[in-house]
Amino acid sequence: MRTLLIAGNWKLNPTTAEAASALAEGVKHGLGAATDVHVAVAPPFVFLSQVDRVLEGSPVGLSGQDLYWENAGAFTGEISGPMLVDVGCTHVILGHSERRHGQGETSAQVNAKLKAALAAKLIPIVCIGETKDERLAEKTEAVLLDQLQGSLADLSPEEMAGVVLAYEPVWAIGTGLTASPEQAQSAHAFIRGWLSRTFGEATAGRVVVQYGGSVKPDNAVELLGLPDVDGALVGGASLKAADFLAIIKAGQEVAARGKS
Ligand code: PEP
């Protein structure tokens, strides 16, 4: 079984450094030294250094929420892979739907960012997912295929094995709507099948594919227990340490009992 990765995407929260430290402290203490599931948090850029200090000695990974494909230069407002590494990051989220749909980010741009992340030795979490209209028009698999082909272009199987994917149906993000277990497993199986055809079965078997979209303590065990779901990318529920820890606990339960 692949080791589950539970990652908290804090987005544009919280508003103060003090609150960011308190949240990181809560996660650190609640998790302790447990490493049966992998855990990471993604605070806003400005709090990364300080959250890194709070997390010292803990297995909780630190993630950026984005990066730019150039390492340095005249790119106002951007943050590079080496900068994220310098402040302690282990992971970086790429192609989140709030960037694809909110900022017009393309799969070609996500691909350039992915290559920069791999060059910087960060673990990329590449998000893909369909909108409500696309699902209603039965275009889910076509959209996933397009995003997979564009975002993961030109990767070797070895590189692919080090990439985390997050299937996040856009209609389920921050809405309280969650994909049903059947919808989630079907999308994840489609993604795994494409990985297998493109990179080989061995590589496909190694890639961690998270589910994201209104994961909460009360639906986490069911979602994380699905055969092709290897973790969760959590937005809203990662802003309360108790809720995020409950989702981690659900992952630990699934890890302890195994999957069929
Ligand atoms: C996300 O932002 O990646 C996300 C899944 O958010 P939420 O859990 O709030 O739906």
Side-chain angles (χ1 to χ4, degrees):
M1 190 177 133
R2 294 167 289 273
T3 304
L4 302 181
L5 170 63
I6 313 292
N9 177 12
W10 294 2
K11 308 189 187 190
L12 191 61
N13 303 290
T15 42
T16 67
E18 197 183 339
S21 286
L23 181 52
E25 193 77 53
V27 175
K28 175 182 174 174
H29 280 288
L31 183 68
T35 54
D36 44 356
V37 301
H38 292 155
V39 176
V41 293
F45 289 135
V46 289
F47 301 144
L48 283 170
S49 283
Q50 137 194 357
V51 169
D52 181 54
R53 281 194 292 278
V54 171
L55 294 178
E56 208 182 315
S58 142
V60 179
L62 184 66
S63 180
Q65 297 179 14
D66 188 26
L67 58 61
Y68 193 58
W69 52 79
E70 297 288 345
N71 283 349
F75 305 102
T76 303
E78 302 291 359
I79 302 282
S80 73
M83 290 173 182
L84 291 180
V85 171
D86 190 59
V87 294
C89 284
T90 48
H91 295 68
V92 62
I93 297 169
L94 299 174
H96 192 278
S97 68
E98 284 150 20
R99 301 205 60 83
R100 286 184 190 265
H101 297 285
Q103 313 284 336
E105 196 165 290
T106 65
S107 288
Q109 290 172 325
V110 174
N111 183 246
K113 292 180 175 194
L114 172 58
K115 287 172 183 164
L118 291 170
K121 306 264 184 275
L122 289 160
I123 298 171
I125 300 175
V126 177
C127 304
I128 55 173
E130 81 287 359
T131 62
K132 186 176 171 197
D133 286 350
E134 289 163 344
R135 176 160 282 270
L136 291 175
E138 297 184 3
K139 289 187 181 153
T140 297
E141 292 189 354
V143 170
L144 294 180
L145 181 64
D146 187 59
Q147 292 179 343
L148 287 165
Q149 288 174 332
S151 307
L152 306 174
D154 308 320
L155 257 58
S156 68
E158 214 34 58
E159 287 172 326
M160 187 62 232
V163 174
V164 173
L165 296 177
Y167 168 60
E168 299 208 300
V170 180
W171 49 271
I173 296 180
T175 59
L177 298 172
T178 312
S180 68
E182 294 73 26
Q183 288 171 325
Q185 173 54 28
S186 160
H188 281 243
F190 174 79
I191 292 165
R192 189 87 57 202
W194 180 82
L195 288 170
S196 185
R197 290 192 299 283
T198 310
F199 296 99
E201 204 181 327
T203 298
R206 290 168 63 193
V207 177
V208 168
V209 186
Q210 300 176 301
Y211 169 80
S214 298
V215 177
K216 308 277 179 228
D218 60 2
N219 60 22
V221 168
E222 188 171 34
L223 288 163
L224 294 172
L226 296 169
D228 284 297
V229 173
D230 310 316
L233 184 53
V234 185
S238 71
L239 297 175
K240 278 194 188 147
D243 287 353
F244 190 54
L245 289 164
I247 294 169
I248 295 169
K249 190 157 173 274
Q252 290 172 323
E253 273 173 46
V254 170
R257 72 161 190 246
K259 298 195 195 192
S260 47

